[in-house]
Amino acid sequence: MFKKKFFLAIIPARLGSKRLKNKNIRIFKGKPLFAWSLIVAKKSKFIDDIFLSTESKKIYLLGKKYASYPNYLRPNHLSLDSCHPNNVILHVLKFIKKKYDYFIYLQPTSPLRTVSDVNSAIRKIIKEKSNSLVSVTNNSKKPNGAIYISKPEFFLKSKKFKVKGMVYYKMPKKRSIDIDYLEDFEEALKKKH
């Protein structure tokens, strides 16, 4: 909780991957790639609960070593390459019963984001009183994939993060690597974590 606002972290981690095979469970600096998002969410003093969205029992059980989250396996049709990530979020928001003021979406493909990044982004969206926030690299306006925040009820209506009045959280290039390909993975491994 921060400023009396409750936060839910949503972490998507499907087993399949089109560009880099088994990307989310590939070992990154001693842990499965997706686990770094769980670790960051758990360490944040502002995040109240964590929700891991996966269709894989293997990923579900692996993740339990790093954080606690509800018993949930998402439908297989939400784990296809053709499924837009926003549909995964919408399914989670409709599934949960507890009320949150905001949710923060943390993709496994950004393992270099820090707890400080997460907390600073949360502080910013509260300070700006905005409905939506996305992280970007330096002064770019293009999302870098590391952090997305929105109000649940707002996202259920808009179905997107990029909306009028959204705010940006700037991150340095070295922490903004979004892993899609083997080259990205190898580059991220070279960075200090």
Side-chain angles (χ1 to χ4, degrees):
M1 183 170 64
F2 179 66
K3 299 287 186 180
K4 298 184 179 180
K5 303 294 184 182
F6 288 93
F7 284 80
L8 170 71
I10 299 176
I11 299 168
R14 69 190 182 104
L15 187 59
S17 178
K18 184 166 60 175
R19 300 182 183 96
L20 182 58
K21 188 175 180 181
N22 295 325
K23 176 174 60 182
N24 288 329
I25 58 171
R26 184 177 282 258
I27 299 302
F28 181 84
K29 302 195 176 186
K31 299 176 177 64
L33 184 65
F34 81 95
W36 290 105
S37 293
L38 288 173
I39 292 167
V40 163
K42 186 177 180 181
K43 284 184 177 179
S44 172
K45 59 185 177 181
F46 299 155
I47 292 175
D48 300 279
D49 295 305
I50 298 170
F51 197 107
L52 178 70
S53 176
T54 183
E55 86 292 359
S56 167
K57 289 183 180 178
K58 181 177 182 178
I59 288 179
Y60 171 85
L61 293 173
L62 271 175
K64 285 292 184 180
K65 297 178 182 179
Y66 304 98
S68 297
Y69 42 80
N71 181 11
Y72 168 89
L73 288 177
R74 76 189 192 209
N76 287 330
H77 73 272
L78 291 176
S79 296
L80 301 174
D81 288 330
S82 58
C83 180
H84 195 283
N86 288 1
N87 291 330
V88 172
I89 297 171
L90 289 168
H91 192 269
V92 171
L93 294 179
K94 291 173 183 176
F95 178 84
I96 59 173
K97 304 302 179 188
K98 190 174 176 180
K99 299 297 182 183
Y100 297 92
D101 296 288
Y102 292 89
F103 73 89
I104 179 167
Y105 185 65
L106 303 172
Q107 300 188 108
T109 49
S110 299
L112 299 178
R113 90 169 74 73
T114 64
V115 177
S116 178
D117 287 321
V118 169
N119 290 344
S120 294
I122 288 173
R123 287 189 186 99
K124 180 158 190 174
I125 196 168
I126 295 296
K127 181 181 179 182
E128 300 289 338
K129 297 179 181 178
S130 178
N131 290 316
S132 185
L133 174 148
V134 298
S135 60
V136 295
T137 306
N138 299 324
N139 292 318
S140 168
K141 291 296 178 71
K142 181 181 179 182
N144 64 8
I147 300 171
Y148 298 85
I149 306 178
S150 182
K151 294 180 178 179
E153 70 276 11
F154 181 80
F155 192 87
L156 284 167
K157 293 177 181 177
S158 67
K159 298 179 173 57
K160 56 187 177 181
F161 291 99
K162 296 191 75 172
V163 294
K164 184 178 180 181
M166 64 184 287
V167 294
Y168 299 95
Y169 172 69
K170 297 178 183 179
M171 292 173 59
K173 187 176 180 180
K174 65 180 181 180
R175 295 204 307 275
S176 295
I177 296 175
D178 186 11
I179 298 174
D180 278 324
Y181 300 94
L182 181 59
E183 307 89 80
D184 304 324
F185 188 87
E186 292 174 343
E187 183 184 354
L189 279 175
K190 297 174 184 175
K191 305 295 182 183
K192 187 176 180 181
H193 195 266

